[in-house]
Amino acid sequence: MTKQLFACGLGVGTQNTQGEWLEVFYPHPLLNPDTDVTQALIDATGYEGGNQVLSIPADRLEALSEALDAANRLDLAVIAQQLKRSHRPLVVNMLAEDTVPESLPEVYLKLHLLSHRLVKPHGVNLTGAFGLLKNVAWTSEGAIDLNELTQRQLQARMDGKILTVESVDKFPRLCDYVVPEGVRIADTARVRLGAYLGEGTTVMHEGFVNFNAGTEGPNMIEGRISAGVFVGAGSDLGGGCSTMGTLSGGGDIIISVGEKCLIGANAGIGIPLGNRCTVEAGLYITAGMKITLLDDKGEVVSQVAGRALASQDDLLFRRNSVNGRVECLANRSAVELNESLHANN
């Protein structure tokens, strides 16, 4: 009996002149593929188990396409047929288990799983992924190894062309690999591959979404969603606001934003928010910050560190304009986002 895989993908990628992978595009990544698809890939590649990155010669793609068609996966069969014409290296990534990634193609497959909405942030093991990715030049001719960039620029000039370098980074733009259904992204350079954008999400020009982070949808994002942060449905991140990622000083605390929250312009959080919370514009809440608790009459109840309020619902955080102290009181009016802002169709 064919063993159930955790995930797999048939892709085409870019390598440098040393044969090292720079990036991989998986047009149709699969999570828990059915056994017929798995068997078709095994027959085409000779896969014997475990987590493996395998090459597949073009002359095996016809048989693979026929096997996928027989397995009633015409969508995958068509991709296999298209890849027969590829001049780029092809790869089949077979993951028996969701373990720590050991190669760049494996990291890219997991980033694709996130951006195709097959798993949510923290739903796949990306431990050490950052160190496996190469810092490359993302250009008008695709990914180029930085050590080979000058030669490629010179060649382009000699051919009467200009090679445009759009960024130098470990991560490419999300929309160069997948455009999730039902979203608006005003500036595609500000959303990385590996972001999870739920349907109904709008990312405005100053919004940013990192890898292994994202939104449930619908959401209006005009601020920063750092790595590891997930924003619940109906929440609004105001212009210039920020969420602290684990790698940015959050320690072991996983920062998240609940449903129907509002983080005001230029505000920020270093603690997870529960549902229906509001952070006043310009106020940054951190785990160690001393916050004064008020009752429903505005009387002081106690003073606690910000971490004590993590993940609690219906809170309003504000700074007292008279004495400057940071205060927290119950917020019974949930934030209702303007539905017209989230109309993506």
Side-chain angles (χ1 to χ4, degrees):
M1 179 180 292
T2 303
K3 183 179 179 180
Q4 177 72 55
L5 291 178
F6 165 69
C8 66
L10 174 61
V12 56
T14 305
Q15 295 176 325
N16 62 15
T17 56
Q18 305 302 312
E20 299 170 325
W21 288 104
L22 302 180
E23 59 85 39
V24 182
F25 171 51
Y26 297 99
H28 201 314
L30 299 175
L31 181 69
N32 304 131
D34 60 56
T35 55
D36 288 341
V37 171
T38 300
Q39 190 60 54
L41 291 170
I42 291 173
D43 293 342
T45 62
Y47 169 75
E48 295 180 348
N51 290 359
Q52 292 191 38
V53 177
L54 305 165
S55 61
I56 180 169
D59 59 8
R60 301 297 299 276
L61 288 171
E62 182 65 40
L64 175 60
S65 177
E66 292 175 358
L68 291 170
D69 191 13
N72 296 316
R73 290 304 303 263
L74 180 60
D75 52 345
L76 300 177
V78 169
I79 290 173
Q81 284 284 353
Q82 291 175 317
L83 289 177
K84 287 170 56 179
R85 302 190 298 273
S86 175
H87 298 292
R88 296 276 188 169
L90 304 178
V91 61
V92 177
N93 198 341
M94 308 280 274
L95 301 183
E97 297 179 297
D98 180 23
T99 55
V100 175
E102 297 181 353
S103 67
L104 182 145
E106 186 176 342
V107 174
Y108 264 78
L109 177 56
K110 292 185 174 183
L111 295 177
H112 278 73
L113 292 176
L114 283 158
S115 293
H116 279 264
R117 299 176 182 160
L118 297 175
V119 296
K120 291 184 178 180
H122 302 287
V124 67
N125 192 335
L126 284 167
T127 304
F130 200 80
L132 292 172
L133 301 179
K134 291 182 67 68
N135 200 29
V136 303
W138 301 97
T139 77
S140 52
E141 294 185 4
I144 298 177
D145 190 297
L146 291 177
N147 294 324
E148 301 168 7
L149 179 60
T150 300
Q151 181 60 38
R152 291 284 295 274
Q153 289 174 316
L154 176 59
Q155 185 61 52
R157 293 280 181 164
M158 292 190 298
D159 293 339
K161 303 175 184 178
I162 294 179
L163 180 66
T164 301
V165 179
E166 295 161 348
S167 68
V168 177
D169 197 2
K170 287 177 175 283
F171 292 83
R173 298 180 298 190
L174 166 72
C175 290
D176 288 343
Y177 292 78
V178 55
V179 179
E181 183 178 355
V183 305
R184 288 193 291 143
I185 304 174
D187 184 351
T188 58
R190 299 184 65 84
V191 184
R192 279 172 152 180
L193 179 65
Y196 179 109
L197 297 184
E199 187 168 359
T201 295
T202 293
V203 183
M204 294 302 292
H205 295 80
E206 295 305 315
F208 173 81
V209 188
N210 213 331
F211 78 103
N212 200 27
T215 60
E216 184 72 44
N219 298 96
M220 174 61 69
I221 306 301
E222 298 181 86
R224 176 184 177 86
I225 302 179
S226 298
V229 178
F230 193 59
V231 179
S235 289
D236 187 336
L237 272 61
C241 77
S242 178
T243 56
M244 186 184 293
T246 301
L247 297 179
S248 302
D252 295 329
I253 299 175
I254 297 176
I255 307 301
S256 60
V257 179
E259 298 181 355
K260 297 183 178 179
C261 292
L262 171 63
I263 302 178
N266 297 317
I269 58 168
I271 63 170
L273 293 183
N275 299 321
R276 300 174 301 278
C277 291
T278 299
V279 180
E280 179 187 76
L283 176 61
Y284 205 115
I285 301 297
T286 62
M289 175 182 285
K290 298 302 181 183
I291 300 176
T292 300
L293 298 182
L294 305 179
D295 61 18
D296 56 0
K297 296 180 181 179
E299 299 295 327
V300 175
V301 175
S302 63
Q303 189 179 71
V304 299
R307 63 176 59 87
L309 302 174
S311 302
Q312 295 193 33
D313 298 338
D314 299 300
L315 300 180
L316 168 62
F317 295 92
R318 70 187 187 190
R319 186 177 295 279
N320 190 301
S321 60
V322 176
N323 56 33
R325 72 187 179 192
V326 178
E327 300 174 339
C328 176
L329 63 156
N331 174 21
R332 298 300 178 186
S333 57
V335 178
E336 298 293 343
L337 297 181
N338 186 337
E339 290 186 1
S340 65
L341 293 177
H342 300 283
N344 291 283
N345 298 323

